[in-house]
Amino acid sequence: MNSNELRKLFLQFFAERGHVIKPSSSLIPDDATLLFTVAGMVPFKNYFLSKVPLTFTRAATSQKCIRTNDIDNVGRTRRHHTFFEMLGNFSFGDYFKEEAIKFHWEFLTEVVKIPKDRLYVTVYLEDNDAYDIWTQKMKIPADRIFRLGKDTNFWEMGTVGPCGYCSEIYYDFEGGKKDVVTGRDIETNDDRFLEVCNLVFTEFDKRADGTLGALKQKNIDTGMGLERLAAVSQGVFSNFETDLFMPMIKDVAEKAATVYGKDPKTDISLRVIADHARGVTFLIGDGVLPSNEGRGYILRRLIRRAVRHGRTLGFRETFLYKVVPVVLHMMGEAYPETAQRKDYITQIIKLEEEKFQETMDKGLEILNQEIEMLMKSKTAILPGEVAFKLYDTFGFPIEITEEILNEFSMSTDKVKFKECMETQRETAKKAWKGMSVDEHAVPEDVIKNLPVTKFTGYTGFSEDGCKVLAIVKGGKKIASAHDGDEVSILLDKTSFYGEGGGQMGDKGIITGPDVELEVIDTQKTDDRYIHRVKVIKGSVQEGNIVKTTVDMDKRSAIMKNHTGTHLLQAALRDILGSHVEQAGSYVGDDRLRFDFTHYAALSEHEVRLAEKMVNKWIQESVPVEVEVMSVEDAKNTGAMALFEEKYKGEVRVVSVGHISKELCAGTHLHNIGEIGLFKIVSSASTAAGIRRIEAITGDASYALVLENEGTIKELKTVFKTSDTNELKEKINKMLREFKELDKKVNEVKKAGMMKDVDEYIAQAKDVNGTKVITIRFTDADKEAVRALGDVLREKMKKTVIVIASTAGEKISFLAMVTDDITDKHDASKIVKRAAAICGGGGGGKKNMAEAGGKDASKIDEALLEVEKAVRG
């Protein structure tokens, strides 16, 4: 059976036995303790801990998972993977050991039709119940059941909490042998025995002293790896030989002009690429983007590890992104939401590949040189400084460096590497000027000792009867504040929105019988609202009763921008595709900023199309509706939620008719018609795969229209015309004239440089058989300098040319080396040495390179350095 059939059969089997079939959860778990979803039980963790009410007692899933703890073994063994699918069935206080055992035995032997004489069973040493079920109810011979210890057959969620015995089912690849099988064989002979599934009987609560108590309810948690089941079902020895991997392996092998099974080293690279192609496809599909930390670092590491193995297969151009369609052809039926994001996924991978390709060759060259030196000196440890340079300059994750070294039985100095990393962090901290401590910060002990603030601002701009719970100044709690003081105040309730979800905090005034406070900002920490205020008159004391009044104009502008953000996201998803998701936002009274996932720059047509669509919706004057419900109910309605956001308890769902439905705690309009005019003012990139749009609404957009109209009127006056089309023609004509004039000026400058070519050649110095020409200009045209360099290089042989041009304190260097001596001299290295004298840097190719500098007073010294570089 192919993998799609096996997945369907498993879910169908358990559906027929009363299990609710749940879709696979995201690889990004709703659990701050986990980086990824690592097992099928992760989405059900709170059910096992009885933290959420049960709406079902039986469930089954095919859960996508990521594990990277054994990444170095991926490709080198038959069964290690980063991405895999875990088939699982779960019981929450419903059935227990007997049913779980019967279900899996029936599925494996009667549905998948694995011969019974190929299967062995293990149970925990002290689990007599499971042993009796297997022998007496299932009629499994005692010589095919083994009692094993805690390392293999006892499961724990942590050092304390739910735990229980396990029973595992193993497949024997050498079935039919007459030799005696022992428990030791099952545990250690990985070539012969394969664990197909694990049945966990969660019935104990482990206490801090190590003793076991009984759980309130007994649970079942099972796991069956689809990749392993496919290997057994399809009669192959390695998971990589199943239909889950072979299409990718064959595709990559064909592109690399090789054949799988021909060479062990090549096979490792093909397996690594096939595995990592699946992993990166689903990570990006679930919202992870390459970065230097957390999940993004793991993704980047997988992509770069695959690219490095692609290099061993002979790939010199980007290739990994081309494997994505093959992955999704295999798995798109089971995961249509990922298949819908195919274009986005391929573009993100391609961008990351291109980024690494730029520096990989140079990094590999340096590492190979270092390895040769280590071999000559009979040393097996790469200096940590070199490993850090490979990481910092050439983008090599330390793990890739270690993997390559391991192939030569070498390692690196990790201690020194970490020291270099720490030095870099400290340097970055010192270079950052915004490190001053916030004098308005409220101490954590003050926050924790106060009740949660009741926010009433969804329904009004003001709130009476608010009690002052605490006043903080300079990080310390004080009893009162007086005229001119700037302090932080916490109330039991407020109409001021605390900054969050991208929306800025409210401003306004707080008043009492003898006091008026100007609210400069409102922040929120652990559901306590912190009002940063200035005492305008009178004094305020802890315990005072006051009234909060939000600045209505600013709040209204914020609501227009926030509701406008929801419309913008809906328009972008409609125009660009469903892969568009929020990656960050800012909603203020002056503008809105929306960061979103997309792989390419937006065309002017796409920007205007989005703007037009939003304005069309605004004209429909659709009501904005808000409902409060559980997170699960909200997601079941199709409401969009942020991947990284951890939602607690009940949430607000903001709906705009057929246009948009999102989980959002911000403040919104009652009707989108109140937005007025929506105007996009910029579109740009913020990072690989992340775009940013800024827009304005309401009064701000109207003011922009008036400003632009005034500018056009002024231009018409200057160009003496009342016709807009004629104005365009006159401006274009003027630009053409300027361009022609600029061209003539450059030609004059170039001609001025060229008249001295013979003199430059005559003055060339001979340095160890190589001629060196150094020239200095002031305010020279860049194109003219390049043209001069080209002429000199064409006329000369065995020559190094460096031209420096100053503009104020800034310096530009151009270095050229004639092609007949690029094996001896490198323009990139020469120009770097010269620029370093002037406090700058640069680079390029062996025959031509450019650099910049800062200190013009050292330019002569820099040009002398050129001669030293040539001399060697």
Side-chain angles (χ1 to χ4, degrees):
M1 299 179 201
N2 68 41
S3 54
N4 283 327
E5 290 172 329
L6 288 170
R7 192 190 295 110
K8 285 179 183 176
L9 282 171
F10 180 87
L11 297 176
Q12 180 183 332
F13 177 88
F14 282 98
E16 290 169 354
R17 286 154 183 78
H19 291 68
V20 174
I21 306 303
K22 289 286 186 179
S24 174
S25 293
S26 170
L27 289 170
I28 304 174
D30 188 16
D31 185 335
T33 66
L34 295 172
L35 203 59
F36 297 114
T37 299
V38 295
M41 61 77 62
V42 168
F44 298 104
K45 185 175 177 180
N46 287 332
Y47 289 95
F48 286 119
L49 295 172
S50 302
K51 288 185 176 181
V52 294
L54 286 169
T55 55
F56 51 85
T57 58
R58 298 182 178 197
T61 62
S62 177
Q63 176 62 49
K64 52 191 177 185
C65 304
I66 283 278
R67 292 182 189 173
T68 56
N69 52 314
D70 289 325
I71 192 172
D72 292 337
N73 288 322
V74 173
R76 301 184 183 280
T77 71
R78 294 181 296 278
R79 291 160 199 145
H80 278 96
H81 305 296
T82 52
F83 176 88
F84 61 96
E85 291 179 84
M86 187 66 79
L87 304 173
N89 60 289
F90 310 91
S91 168
F92 311 100
D94 192 332
Y95 61 82
F96 200 47
K97 292 183 183 180
E98 184 173 341
E99 293 88 340
I101 289 171
K102 284 182 177 179
F103 286 155
H104 274 262
W105 190 256
E106 182 183 352
F107 177 73
L108 290 172
T109 61
E110 296 181 25
V111 178
V112 185
K113 301 190 182 302
I114 298 174
K116 293 180 182 180
D117 63 3
R118 286 272 184 148
L119 299 175
Y120 287 84
V121 174
T122 67
V123 297
Y124 184 61
L125 285 167
E126 301 171 11
D127 193 357
N128 295 322
D129 292 340
Y131 185 86
D132 291 343
I133 293 168
W134 280 114
T135 54
Q136 297 172 25
K137 299 288 180 66
M138 307 307 299
K139 306 300 182 185
I140 306 300
D143 64 353
R144 302 187 78 83
I145 306 173
F146 303 96
R147 293 177 182 265
L148 299 180
K150 188 174 181 180
D151 288 346
T152 59
N153 285 69
F154 191 89
W155 177 86
E156 298 172 286
M157 188 176 285
T159 54
V160 296
C163 55
Y165 305 142
C166 304
S167 181
E168 299 172 322
I169 301 176
Y170 282 79
Y171 177 79
D172 181 3
F173 281 99
E174 300 176 6
K177 270 192 169 184
K178 300 300 182 183
D179 60 327
V180 176
V181 175
T182 66
R184 175 81 177 158
D185 294 329
I186 296 289
E187 281 187 282
T188 61
N189 193 345
D190 194 43
D191 287 337
R192 178 174 174 180
F193 299 101
L194 172 68
E195 178 197 326
V196 180
C197 67
N198 185 13
L199 315 178
V200 180
F201 314 126
T202 313
E203 58 182 314
F204 303 119
D205 183 14
K206 188 176 182 181
R207 305 184 184 99
D209 61 4
T211 59
L212 302 177
L215 283 177
K216 292 180 181 178
Q217 66 179 37
K218 295 179 179 181
N219 303 315
I220 290 293
D221 162 24
T222 74
M224 180 186 295
L226 177 61
E227 291 75 13
R228 295 185 177 202
L229 182 63
V232 170
S233 173
Q234 294 168 22
V236 295
F237 191 43
S238 166
N239 293 0
F240 288 99
E241 293 168 10
T242 67
D243 68 320
L244 285 164
F245 293 93
M246 282 310 295
M248 283 82 80
I249 288 174
K250 288 179 178 178
D251 179 72
V252 176
E254 184 179 334
K255 289 183 172 70
T258 187
V259 178
Y260 183 69
K262 182 181 178 181
D263 175 70
K265 187 176 180 181
T266 297
D267 290 350
I268 289 173
S269 293
L270 289 169
R271 290 194 291 265
V272 167
I273 292 167
D275 174 276
H276 290 8
R278 297 202 323 157
V280 301
T281 294
F282 281 90
L283 282 171
I284 296 171
D286 277 3
V288 182
L289 288 170
S291 70
N292 282 331
E293 58 186 10
R295 298 183 182 104
Y297 179 74
I298 298 295
L299 173 60
R300 173 163 285 168
R301 182 182 169 192
L302 292 180
I303 293 173
R304 295 189 171 187
R305 188 171 189 256
V307 170
R308 205 276 293 185
H309 278 276
R311 189 52 60 97
T312 69
L313 295 176
F315 288 108
R316 289 295 177 266
E317 303 297 329
T318 54
F319 73 94
L320 184 62
Y321 77 97
K322 297 176 183 177
V323 188
V324 173
V326 187
V327 174
L328 295 177
H329 177 73
M330 276 299 305
M331 307 182 73
E333 181 182 342
Y335 301 102
E337 70 284 356
T338 306
Q340 289 171 3
R341 309 187 81 190
K342 182 180 74 173
D343 291 343
Y344 175 69
I345 294 166
T346 55
Q347 289 297 326
I348 293 299
I349 294 174
K350 186 180 181 184
L351 286 169
E352 184 66 14
E353 279 193 88
E354 289 171 344
K355 187 175 181 180
F356 190 38
Q357 290 276 16
E358 291 174 7
T359 56
M360 181 171 56
D361 285 338
K362 190 63 179 175
L364 284 172
E365 181 185 333
I366 289 173
L367 183 54
N368 288 331
Q369 288 172 356
E370 291 289 339
I371 289 171
E372 284 181 20
M373 290 169 60
L374 291 174
M375 292 173 73
K376 286 178 182 177
S377 63
K378 296 182 180 180
T379 307
I381 299 177
L382 180 76
E385 297 91 337
V386 177
F388 176 74
K389 181 181 179 182
L390 289 168
Y391 167 82
D392 191 47
T393 307
F394 301 104
F396 276 62
I398 181 65
E399 296 83 4
I400 288 182
T401 300
E402 288 181 311
E403 183 178 341
I404 296 171
L405 289 169
N406 188 51
E407 293 171 4
F408 295 88
S409 300
M410 295 176 178
S411 60
T412 189
D413 184 348
K414 285 289 286 289
V415 174
K416 188 62 181 177
F417 174 82
K418 289 177 180 177
E419 286 179 8
C420 292
M421 288 286 286
E422 191 56 38
T423 300
Q424 184 196 54
R425 290 191 188 101
E426 289 301 318
T427 302
K429 282 182 182 179
K430 290 174 183 176
W432 184 34
K433 303 300 183 183
M435 293 293 291
S436 58
V437 177
D438 183 1
E439 62 181 18
H440 298 292
V442 178
E444 190 177 343
D445 58 338
V446 173
I447 294 283
K448 286 186 175 179
N449 289 325
L450 295 177
V452 169
T453 311
K454 181 182 179 182
F455 175 61
T456 64
Y458 288 131
T459 55
F461 289 94
S462 63
E463 182 63 35
D464 280 313
C466 306
K467 185 177 180 180
V468 178
L469 301 179
I471 306 170
V472 176
K473 183 177 182 180
K476 294 181 180 179
K477 190 176 176 184
I478 58 176
S480 61
H482 308 277
D483 284 358
D485 284 345
E486 290 192 17
V487 297
S488 294
I489 288 185
L490 293 94
L491 309 172
D492 63 340
K493 57 182 179 177
T494 183
S495 56
F496 285 86
Y497 182 86
E499 183 177 328
Q503 180 174 325
M504 69 179 288
D506 278 331
K507 299 179 180 180
I509 59 170
I510 295 176
T511 54
D514 301 306
V515 68
E516 181 179 333
L517 312 171
E518 179 190 357
V519 179
I520 300 165
D521 186 22
T522 311
Q523 295 289 319
K524 184 171 68 172
T525 302
D526 293 335
D527 292 326
R528 279 83 167 180
Y529 287 61
I530 302 165
H531 308 80
R532 295 183 176 175
V533 306
K534 181 176 182 179
V535 183
I536 302 301
K537 66 177 182 179
S539 63
V540 60
Q541 296 181 346
E542 188 177 314
N544 282 172
I545 303 299
V546 295
K547 178 181 180 181
T548 62
T549 304
V550 175
D551 185 320
M552 293 177 62
D553 290 337
K554 289 187 181 297
R555 168 75 80 81
S556 178
I558 289 170
M559 292 193 296
K560 288 175 182 177
N561 285 331
H562 204 152
T563 304
T565 303
H566 284 219
L567 298 184
L568 175 60
Q569 177 166 247
L572 291 170
R573 285 174 65 84
D574 193 295
I575 295 163
L576 304 176
S578 59
H579 64 271
V580 168
E581 283 168 352
Q582 182 175 328
S585 69
Y586 165 82
V587 180
D589 59 332
D590 58 335
R591 62 194 165 92
L592 66 91
R593 184 184 71 229
F594 183 66
D595 295 347
F596 58 97
T597 53
H598 188 57
Y599 49 80
L602 272 66
S603 67
E604 183 65 18
H605 173 70
E606 287 169 330
V607 171
R608 294 308 152 209
L609 196 59
E611 183 179 271
K612 183 178 180 181
M613 188 175 287
V614 172
N615 281 305
K616 181 176 177 293
W617 286 332
I618 291 170
Q619 291 170 28
E620 293 175 10
S621 296
V622 179
V624 179
E625 297 177 350
V626 177
E627 295 177 89
V628 178
M629 60 184 78
S630 69
V631 177
E632 189 167 341
D633 286 344
K635 290 182 179 178
N636 287 339
T637 67
M640 289 190 66
L642 294 179
F643 275 117
E644 296 293 338
E645 193 72 30
K646 302 304 177 189
Y647 301 98
K648 301 174 185 177
E650 292 190 319
V651 294
R652 300 176 80 244
V653 177
V654 178
S655 302
V656 184
H658 63 91
I659 301 167
S660 167
K661 182 177 284 189
E662 296 185 43
L663 272 65
C664 182
T667 59
H668 287 273
L669 301 169
H670 296 296
N671 189 296
I672 63 174
E674 299 171 48
I675 293 174
L677 176 63
F678 179 92
K679 190 80 182 109
I680 293 176
V681 294
S682 69
S683 172
S685 170
T686 63
I690 302 293
R691 305 298 305 176
R692 169 174 291 175
I693 280 181
E694 294 198 0
I696 52 178
T697 63
D699 291 344
S701 55
Y702 179 60
L704 180 63
V705 170
L706 290 179
E707 182 185 339
N708 290 341
E709 193 176 88
T711 301
I712 292 171
K713 284 181 178 179
E714 288 179 21
L715 287 171
K716 285 179 178 179
T717 301
V718 171
F719 283 90
K720 298 178 181 179
T721 180
S722 58
D723 183 79
T724 303
N725 289 327
E726 188 180 353
L727 174 64
K728 289 180 186 177
E729 290 175 8
K730 287 190 173 188
I731 290 174
N732 286 330
K733 181 183 177 185
M734 182 185 71
L735 291 173
R736 287 194 299 270
E737 290 172 352
F738 275 138
K739 191 173 182 180
E740 284 297 317
L741 183 60
D742 192 48
K743 185 178 178 182
K744 289 177 182 178
V745 169
N746 287 336
E747 287 173 356
V748 170
K749 287 182 177 179
K750 194 182 295 183
M753 288 183 179
M754 296 303 176
K755 67 181 176 62
D756 295 324
V757 166
D758 291 339
E759 187 177 339
Y760 298 142
I761 294 172
Q763 292 177 357
K765 293 183 180 179
D766 187 288
V767 180
N768 294 341
T770 298
K771 291 184 178 178
V772 178
I773 296 174
T774 58
I775 308 168
R776 175 176 179 175
F777 291 113
T778 302
D779 295 326
D781 177 72
K782 191 173 182 180
E783 287 186 15
V785 169
R786 179 74 66 85
L788 174 60
D790 288 337
V791 169
L792 290 171
R793 187 167 53 172
E794 287 173 11
K795 285 179 172 286
M796 301 293 288
K797 288 184 179 181
K798 295 184 179 181
T799 304
V800 172
I801 305 143
V802 176
I803 305 172
S805 175
T806 58
E809 285 299 310
K810 291 186 178 180
I811 312 161
S812 297
F813 290 96
L814 172 70
M816 289 185 170
V817 174
T818 55
D819 291 337
D820 53 351
I821 55 168
T822 51
D823 59 331
K824 290 174 61 179
H825 299 294
D826 186 330
S828 177
K829 292 179 180 178
I830 292 170
V831 83
K832 281 180 183 177
R833 282 183 62 170
I837 300 293
C838 297
K845 298 179 180 179
K846 284 190 172 184
N847 64 345
M848 189 188 77
E850 294 178 294
K854 300 172 185 175
D855 188 353
S857 66
K858 295 185 177 180
I859 195 166
D860 291 332
E861 185 182 342
L863 293 176
L864 286 173
E865 187 68 23
V866 174
E867 295 180 27
K868 293 179 183 177
V870 173
R871 190 172 287 112

